[in-house]
Each structure stands twice: as structure tokens, then as C-alpha cells.
Amino acid sequence: MEHNQLVQVAERIRAKTIAMVKKAQGGHLGGSLSALELLVALYYSIMRVDPKNPKWDGRDRFILSKAHACQSLYVILADLGFFPEEELGMFLKDGSRLGNHSSYLVPGVEVAGGSLGHGLGLACGMAWAARMDGKTHRVYCMIGDGESQEGSVWEAAMFAAHHRLANLIAITDYNQLGSEDFVENTSDLHPLHLKWQSFGWDVRGIDGHDFADITRSFYPSPRPTMIIANTIKGRGTSLENKPQSHHNIPKELKS
Amino acid sequence: MKDIKDSVFYTLLDIAKLDKNVIVLSCDLGAYALSEFPEGQFYNVGVAEQNTMSVATGLALEGKSVFVYGIVPFVTTRCLEQIKMDICVHKASVCILGYAAGYSYSYDGPSHQGLEDIAVMRAMTGMTIYSPSSYAMASAMVRSAYEMKSPCYIRLDKDPLLDDDCSDISSGYRMFGKGTQVIVTGAYVKFALEHLSLGVVDVYRIAPFPNVPFSSVLDESDGLLGALCENKFGNGKTHTFHLEAGSRRYINGRIGL
């Protein structure tokens, strides 16, 4: 898909994500909007998936380790046909499989998340299994920057580099914010790219909202890849770059 | 003298030779049989138990039967979040082999002593907990863990176990003798049979707990004395950590066991 087409898809997904959260008056909108262009690039340009066969063995796997940012992922999966689009209206409703943290109940979602710091280890296991079995699919994993404060992320980082998991591509949604404050004020990650580099990863830095930047950052490497995407939490709302964007509803969306 | 690690890992080796999807991950803990595993089926993943549980789950989600081996507290309390959110929430085919139960590591202080594992692992939804009292039973439990393809924890004891031919582990418990009964598990079954003039109820499957009413136990005996276990809860005394060195029997004496 061409970049201008991806831009149009992102606009559509952003509008529907905001509408879904407005209807439900709940959700973690900020981190969902910072990750949006990255998720669009993955699902509409980079990854091989089959909406009619979510468990197709040849699929690329994607783990949203920052599972609270699932809103835009739900909209993308519905848009692609993994489940009916009408179901988006059930977000956070009683009995709905569309909860505040994505889980394997949702067609197209690999794992149940919510506890930060687990996804990269899960992705390591999946990538390792693929290599053991001689399979050619890739495993993608998105983590947050607040999440990168968890020690378990770095255990997984060491593991992936030690085992040279070249089929593992991780993305950090580097929106600079945790839940209550900027990450530099709680446990500073700077210099993040040097940390990943020293752990043995192939590190690439990009503008996480620019499709040209995003798509050209995906190319093979003999080592696990970390794409650090500079993003804006809450992009497209009045809470851009504010800590409140984590789980507050922007005033223009309040009912 | 027999070693429970041989019972466990030589059984696992037999299984692994027939199924290349069996993967054993050790958190830097050894056993003789591990060196004989086929290439690509045993890995020492180092001192990283939290990540190991996540990796094990990822492997299991891709069709592997995974066994994770390490010291009891490090493969239970230390990585309980990963056990809960990864292994149990995903009902993954992961069996945790914890070595060694209770005060087995009596000289090593509370860091190495498995006193909380039963309590915390019982809280893990869908987790089967085995506590073998004989070498044959340990082998049977490994086979059971492989076949069940769901979360399992086998707590292994350092002390000598019974050397019987018990291979039917379907009921979850067995009784020795009549008379007043004491409930025990693991290596304490042998200890109780040799040193106590009591009947013994060996609960070797702690979860799911045997679905047998105590009335049937009482019917076959003269009564129930209580439970004998190196556990910090339920004895009516305030627990203290034992940082001093000593043999297992010494520490047992100190805690009034």
C-alpha cells in the first residue's frame, strides 16, 4: 500500500477509535493514538495475516505488549474483517470480548495482556519456536516506554540477543509518558537507543507518525530489531502530550 | 542411592526422544540426565526465571511441551506474575519442576527454602500441583504432566523417597496403615512411616485436592491427628525465617516439627 493510502487508512482508524472511546466513555485512548500509525503500517503494509483464518500457521505474529492501547488495534482488526465492525459498539459492555486490555478472546489477538513487561518474553518464545521448526514467519512485538521500566523487558532483551532471534522485531512506542507523569521524571530511559544497542539489538529510530519513516525501518537483520518510534501520546485530541491522556477522556469527547 | 532428579529427567529423556516438541529449560540448575538430551531439546537459559516463564509460554503457544527446572522459590514466588498471566491465563503446556521442597536446602537460608510454594501455586487457576513421595511416583507424574498439556508444578524433595512401584496417581492420595492418621506429603511420607507410629495419608496431588471427603479417611482409620508439613502457615505459631545454617532435622526441631 502506498504511503498516501496508509495516511487515509490512519485517518479512518483514528476517527473510528475516537468514536468508539467516546461511545464507551472509557479506555486508554492516549497510548492507543500514539501507536496508531505504527499499527496501521504493520497490519496494512508489513505483516502477513489472514482475517478469515486468524490462526493460519504461516501468519506473522503480533503481540501488543502494551495491551491497554488496544483500542486502535480493535478498530484495525474489525476494519480488516477479523470480526464484525458492529462489535466495536460493544467495547467495555457487559459480556464483550473487547475489554480494556486485549486478549486472545478477540480474533487476531495472540495473547492476553495487561501486565506490562510480559509481551517481549512471549514474543521471544514464539520467535524461538519458529526457528526451531524452520518456519519463515516473523514475530512483531510493541512495547511502551513506561513498560520499558520493567526489568523483565531487559531479561527478554538479553535472551533475544543471546539466541540471535533475527525473526523478532520489536517496536517501542516512545511517547515519553507513563500513566501519571513523563517517564524521564519517574525512571529515565535516556539514552534508550544506546541501551538496546548495548543489549545486542539492531536499533532504528523513527518518527512514529510518518509512514515513509515507518515502512523503511522494516528490513532484515541478523540480530533482533528494535524500532524506537518517537510518538505523541493522545495525538489528535486535546490531551496531546499530557499525562492525563493515559486513561482520561478528552473534554471534547465527554458526554 | 537413588536421586529424584534421575527419576524425573531420565523419564523426561525417554519422552523427549520420541517427541521433538518437548523442550526442557533449566534456570542454571543441573542434573546428570540433562547432558543426554537430544540437541535442541535442552537449554540452560541462565538465571532469568521471569523471562523463562514467558518464553516457555511463547514456546507452548507454538505447540511445544515445555518443562522449566529451577530452585523452588525462584520458579514459584519469584516469577509468580509470569506464572499467573502467561502460563495460567493461557493454559499453557508448561510444567515447572521445582527443586527442592521445604527445608531441603537447609544450609542455604530462606532464599532457597520452599515454604511458600504450595500456598502461592494453589492460588494459580488451573495449576496441577504434584508432590511425589516415591521415585516411581515422580516418573509417573512427569508422564502425567506431559500428557495433560496444561499448567503443572511438581515439587521435588532432596531427602530420600520411598522406593516402591507406585505408578497409578489418579486418586491424588493413598493411605498406609490403620490407626490414627497423619497427613503428609513428599519426603515426609517416608519419614512418617519410618519414625511415627501412626497411619499415614500421603497427599501427592495437592491441587486439584483429592475429591475425597475426610469421612472416608476417618472410616478407614481411628481418627485424624493433623497434617505434618514444613509450611509457615497453619501451625498457630508466628513464622520466623531461619537464616542460621543447619541440617534439615535441626531446623525441623527448631520449628517444633
Side-chain angles (χ1 to χ4, degrees):
Chain A
M1 198 179 271
E2 298 291 327
H3 294 158
N4 59 336
Q5 291 174 299
L6 291 171
V7 169
Q8 288 174 358
V9 171
E11 285 173 4
R12 179 171 81 242
I13 301 299
R14 180 166 266 106
K16 288 184 177 179
T17 301
I18 288 172
M20 185 178 82
V21 169
K22 181 179 180 181
K23 181 173 190 280
Q25 288 294 298
H28 299 85
L29 187 57
S32 193
L33 296 178
S34 61
L36 195 141
E37 277 79 11
L38 297 162
L39 293 173
V40 166
L42 283 169
Y43 276 92
Y44 292 82
S45 179
I46 308 291
M47 296 199 318
R48 294 174 303 168
V49 293
D50 181 357
K52 297 307 169 199
N53 189 3
K55 291 296 184 188
W56 165 47
D57 194 51
R59 72 191 187 281
D60 289 325
R61 277 67 163 158
F62 173 68
I63 292 181
L64 182 65
S65 189
K66 48 170 288 182
H68 55 275
C70 55
Q71 286 84 172
S72 47
L73 177 63
Y74 291 159
V75 174
I76 287 170
L77 293 174
D79 189 65
L80 288 171
F82 279 87
F83 58 87
E85 197 148 337
E86 306 84 75
E87 192 171 337
L88 294 175
M90 293 296 292
F91 175 57
L92 301 184
K93 293 281 187 291
D94 285 352
S96 172
R97 50 189 181 177
L98 303 184
N100 246 342
H101 297 93
S102 47
S103 86
Y104 51 72
L105 290 181
V106 180
V109 177
E110 300 284 350
V111 299
S115 182
L116 296 175
H118 292 232
L120 193 59
L122 292 169
C124 283
M126 290 179 169
W128 203 20
R131 192 174 69 197
M132 287 177 186
D133 296 338
K135 295 180 178 176
T136 59
H137 62 262
R138 291 192 171 89
V139 181
Y140 298 85
C141 179
M142 182 181 287
I143 64 176
D145 47 2
E147 177 174 17
S148 299
Q149 295 172 334
E150 290 279 2
S152 53
V153 167
W154 300 98
E155 274 185 37
M158 274 196 289
F159 179 91
H162 177 83
H163 290 277
R164 296 187 74 82
L165 297 179
N167 55 348
L168 175 61
I169 301 100
I171 303 142
T172 297
D173 179 2
Y174 202 9
N175 60 31
Q176 308 291 331
L177 279 160
S179 174
E180 295 292 307
D181 200 349
F182 291 88
V183 293
E184 67 179 355
N185 293 334
T186 56
S187 188
D188 195 4
L189 298 171
H190 180 81
L192 188 60
H193 66 291
L194 290 180
K195 287 182 167 70
W196 284 98
Q197 212 168 69
S198 70
F199 273 70
W201 287 57
D202 182 343
V203 185
R204 301 152 196 183
I206 62 168
D207 175 348
H209 299 293
D210 180 317
F211 281 110
D213 233 17
I214 297 171
T215 52
R216 66 171 163 248
S217 69
F218 288 91
Y219 55 87
S221 170
R223 288 176 283 143
T225 300
M226 168 51 77
I227 298 170
I228 297 179
N230 292 305
T231 57
I232 298 170
K233 197 159 186 172
R235 187 174 193 252
T237 70
S238 62
L239 291 178
E240 276 191 13
N241 279 327
K242 292 185 168 59
Q244 295 89 335
S245 66
H246 184 71
H247 49 50
N248 284 18
I249 306 296
K251 60 178 184 310
E252 67 271 22
L253 302 179
K254 283 196 175 155
S255 59
Chain B
M1 191 163 70
K2 281 194 168 182
D3 186 339
I4 193 170
K5 296 196 294 288
D6 291 337
S7 304
V8 166
F9 287 109
Y10 278 109
T11 302
L12 198 42
L13 177 60
D14 287 342
I15 298 170
K17 284 177 178 172
L18 297 175
D19 182 357
K20 66 175 177 61
N21 283 316
V22 170
I23 306 292
V24 180
L25 306 177
S26 167
C27 296
D28 211 19
L29 193 61
Y32 284 122
L34 292 173
S35 61
E36 300 178 38
F37 271 69
E39 189 179 341
Q41 290 186 257
F42 164 68
Y43 296 89
N44 182 347
V45 290
V47 187
E49 294 85 1
Q50 292 180 21
N51 183 61
T52 300
M53 297 306 172
S54 297
V55 168
T57 303
L59 288 170
L61 290 174
E62 296 291 343
K64 307 299 181 188
S65 295
V66 189
F67 289 77
V68 179
Y69 171 53
I71 295 178
V72 164
F74 307 147
V75 292
T76 54
T77 48
R78 190 182 187 111
C79 50
L80 195 65
E81 176 72 354
Q82 281 78 10
I83 292 172
K84 167 193 158 188
M85 275 308 300
D86 300 342
I87 296 174
C88 291
V89 166
H90 295 87
K91 302 179 188 129
S93 178
V94 177
C95 174
I96 299 169
L97 301 167
Y99 186 80
Y103 284 107
S104 289
Y105 282 105
S106 60
Y107 296 94
D108 296 82
S111 59
H112 285 59
Q113 288 157 7
L115 307 177
E116 301 88 0
D117 58 314
I118 294 177
V120 299
M121 295 300 264
R122 282 184 65 204
M124 296 292 103
T125 304
M127 178 69 71
T128 297
I129 303 174
Y130 281 136
S131 176
S133 57
S134 78
Y135 299 106
M137 192 185 276
S139 293
M141 288 169 175
V142 169
R143 292 199 180 279
S144 170
Y146 168 71
E147 285 158 12
M148 73 174 67
K149 302 277 189 273
S150 61
C152 185
Y153 168 55
I154 307 178
R155 68 191 311 255
L156 310 173
D157 208 300
K158 256 196 194 186
D159 273 7
L161 303 185
L162 295 173
D163 195 1
D164 58 22
D165 57 4
C166 174
S167 59
D168 179 2
I169 55 172
S170 53
S171 69
Y173 80 108
R174 55 180 177 170
M175 292 174 66
F176 296 87
K178 305 290 184 183
T180 305
Q181 302 284 322
V182 64
I183 300 174
V184 281
T185 192
Y188 272 84
V189 175
K190 183 175 190 298
F191 177 84
L193 288 171
E194 289 177 354
H195 298 284
L196 303 178
S197 302
L198 295 167
V200 169
V201 181
D202 171 11
V203 178
Y204 56 78
R205 192 185 68 222
I206 295 171
F209 201 78
N211 190 21
V212 173
F214 274 123
S215 56
S216 64
V217 171
L218 295 173
D219 283 345
E220 294 185 47
S221 65
D222 291 341
L224 196 60
L225 177 66
L228 187 75
C229 185
E230 288 167 328
N231 190 292
K232 62 169 66 173
F233 305 110
N235 64 355
K237 296 183 182 180
T238 302
H239 175 82
T240 56
F241 289 112
H242 289 274
L243 289 99
E244 58 190 343
S247 70
R248 196 171 187 175
R249 299 288 91 79
Y250 167 76
I251 294 180
N252 287 171
R254 296 276 286 149
I255 63 175
L257 202 64

